[in-house]
């Protein structure tokens, strides 16, 4: 009877440890979400001349300018909509600076459609997604299919600031 009792107590200790770990992880995640919500409520400002990923993440910004005709297509899927692409375009602001803008999701069959052009005013949040890892395949540049938003590579490809 000693072995089954020790095995049961060991299992109980492990499950209690994992339960407390999940509670701590939940608190950590809720704190991150709360920090993001606070940042999203900040007043909208012009895109700053200098920024850093740590301090400027989720900063609400506004800019005026035009979208370049070049764009990158990031393969993704949205529940109930199916497969498609996130459109990443080069935006050239009135002051001549250029940066990446995620224009949102389009269904797969709309990949070759043209996007609205001309002078626009945009509002959004600065964001540096961290979607790539060791397993992310390289972009298929011939077909313009990217498998993750890689800010460094995309900004080089579209000749923009890495934001």
């Amino acid at each position: 009877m000693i072995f089954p009792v020790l095995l049961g107590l060991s299992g109980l200790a492990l499950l209690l440890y994992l339960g407390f770990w999940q509670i701590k992880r939940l608190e950590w995640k809720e704190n991150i979400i709360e920090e993001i919500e606070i940042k999203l409520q900040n007043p909208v400002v012009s895109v700053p001349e200098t920024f850093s990923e740590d301090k400027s993440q989720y900063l609400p910004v506004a800019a005026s300018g035009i979208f370049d005709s070049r764009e990158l297509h990031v393969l993704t899927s949205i529940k109930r909509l199916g497969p498609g692409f996130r459109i990443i375009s080069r935006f050239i602001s009135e002051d001549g600076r250029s940066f990446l803008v995620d224009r949102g999701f389009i269904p797969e069959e709309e990949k070759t459609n043209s996007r609205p052009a001309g002078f626009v005013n945009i509002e959004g949040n600065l964001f540096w997604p961290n979607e790539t890892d060791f397993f992310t395949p390289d972009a298929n540049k011939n077909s313009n299919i990217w498998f993750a938003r890689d800010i460094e590579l995309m900004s080089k490809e579209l000749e923009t600031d890495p934001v």
Side-chain angles (χ1 to χ4, degrees), residues 32-45 56-61 123-126:
I32 290 174
I33 292 169
E34 186 177 332
E35 287 177 24
I36 292 170
E37 286 175 350
I38 290 169
K39 288 180 180 182
L40 291 175
Q41 293 173 7
N42 286 336
V44 176
V45 297
S56 303
Q57 188 82 287
Y58 303 108
L59 177 69
V61 294
E123 281 189 22
N125 298 86
L126 296 182

Side-chain angles (χ1 to χ4, degrees), residues 30-76:
E30 286 175 341
N31 288 337
I32 290 174
I33 292 169
E34 186 177 332
E35 287 177 24
I36 292 170
E37 286 175 350
I38 290 169
K39 288 180 180 182
L40 291 175
Q41 293 173 7
N42 286 336
V44 176
V45 297
S46 295
V47 177
E49 289 293 322
T50 59
F51 39 77
S52 70
E53 187 175 338
D54 335 345
K55 296 178 183 173
S56 303
Q57 188 82 287
Y58 303 108
L59 177 69
V61 294
S64 299
I66 59 169
F67 283 105
D68 189 303
S69 61
R70 294 178 294 166
E71 60 186 27
L72 304 175
H73 302 146
V74 182
L75 185 64
T76 190

Side-chain angles (χ1 to χ4, degrees), residues 84-98:
F85 299 93
R86 294 186 78 83
I87 302 299
I88 309 297
S89 295
R90 178 179 188 221
F91 183 81
I92 304 166
S93 65
E94 286 181 304
D95 62 5
R97 295 173 55 209
S98 61

Side-chain angles (χ1 to χ4, degrees), residues 125-162:
N125 298 86
L126 296 182
F127 185 57
W128 288 265
N130 184 10
E131 298 176 343
T132 59
D133 60 20
F134 180 75
F135 300 103
T136 305
D138 293 335
N140 181 339
K141 293 183 181 179
N142 292 332
S143 299
N144 192 9
I145 298 175
W146 294 66
F147 299 98
R149 291 179 291 181
D150 185 326
I151 300 303
E152 292 298 321
L153 289 177
M154 289 179 155
S155 64
K156 286 178 185 171
E157 184 75 18
L158 293 180
E159 301 169 2
T160 69
D161 290 338

